[in-house]
Amino acid sequence: MKITIFDTLPSTNDYCEAREFDEDTAIIAREQTGGKGTKGRSFSSPLGGVYLSLVRYYPCKAENSFSLMIASCMAVVKTLEFYGVHADIKWPNDVFVSGKKICGILIKNSFEGENVKKSITGIGVNVNNDIPQNLADIAISLKSVVGEVDVEDFYKRLIGNLYADYSVDEYRSRNIVLGKDKREITVIRNGESRKAVAEDIAPDGSLVLKGGERLFYGEVTIRF
Ligand code: BTN
């Protein structure tokens, strides 16, 4: 595989979407000026963070595409564990440390027949960057937990971990939205919010609510 590092890019995901590559390729930027988040939001991407997009061709069947999200979240969790930090997952695409977001993931897939043809896994991790005061209640960086780390070492470990196999059980057991103690969540869809208890995550990635209703990622936002 190939790794290319840029000092700055508008968005590593946009860069990968606009190009084709001969092999699996990781595009990394030391900072992004137009980082993209989910649901059309922007993603703050100052120097010191890790902003990485991994392009893979034909990584899996379309029906198994949630395995790419599982692998991405678990890869971040395992990388943080290497630095001695315990992390949790917030379904479907966020990684949390001490109740605050440390990483967001944005996956863009294109399909051909029954297969994922090209998958772009975009991962943004607060590593050595400072968190602005206005976000201090909801976001955290690795630096504030263990001090500065070598970012090159971090993304090499992260890329290695992205290629490991993970089960939906591992992803499930790390997930803070599941109501092990009947914890209530707030489900927000199209601006409307309601309370619910999530009981399971199905292999297709949907969140199964008490009562059997299934929520599909991309359609809803979960708050506590
Ligand atoms: C989210 O939390 O909403 C998802 C954020 C995803 C951010 C990453 S950083 C690398 C890649 N390039 C982007 O523009 N976005 C993703």
Side-chain angles (χ1 to χ4, degrees), residues 96-202:
F96 273 56
V97 167
S98 304
K100 297 178 182 182
K101 179 163 165 170
I102 195 164
C103 163
I105 295 168
L106 179 62
I107 297 183
K108 189 101 193 251
N109 293 327
S110 61
F111 299 92
E112 186 181 83
E114 292 180 345
N115 297 307
V116 174
K117 180 183 181 199
K118 178 183 180 185
S119 176
I120 302 168
T121 298
I123 302 178
V125 193
N126 297 317
V127 176
N128 290 335
N129 51 307
D130 291 316
I131 303 297
Q133 199 57 48
N134 61 327
L135 297 178
D137 287 345
I138 55 168
I140 191 167
S141 74
L142 183 58
K143 176 170 109 170
S144 69
V145 188
V146 293
E148 289 215 354
V149 304
D150 180 334
V151 279
E152 290 206 7
D153 188 61
F154 186 95
Y155 64 65
K156 282 185 186 146
R157 288 181 190 285
L158 178 58
I159 292 168
N161 288 336
L162 279 164
Y163 281 91
D165 279 333
Y166 305 97
S167 69
V168 70
D169 283 342
E170 285 178 278
Y171 175 87
R172 229 183 242 131
S173 66
R174 289 278 181 166
N175 229 292
I176 52 177
V177 302
L178 294 179
K180 284 185 209 113
D181 44 10
K182 300 284 170 258
R183 177 184 191 181
E184 269 199 338
I185 56 171
T186 301
V187 177
I188 304 164
R189 193 204 306 249
N190 300 329
E192 274 178 29
S193 65
R194 65 194 159 109
K195 302 274 185 211
V197 172
E199 285 190 329
D200 198 9
I201 294 163

Side-chain angles (χ1 to χ4, degrees), residues 3-16:
I3 301 176
T4 306
I5 304 164
F6 292 87
D7 281 338
T8 181
L9 276 182
S11 155
T12 55
N13 266 27
D14 285 357
Y15 182 93
C16 294

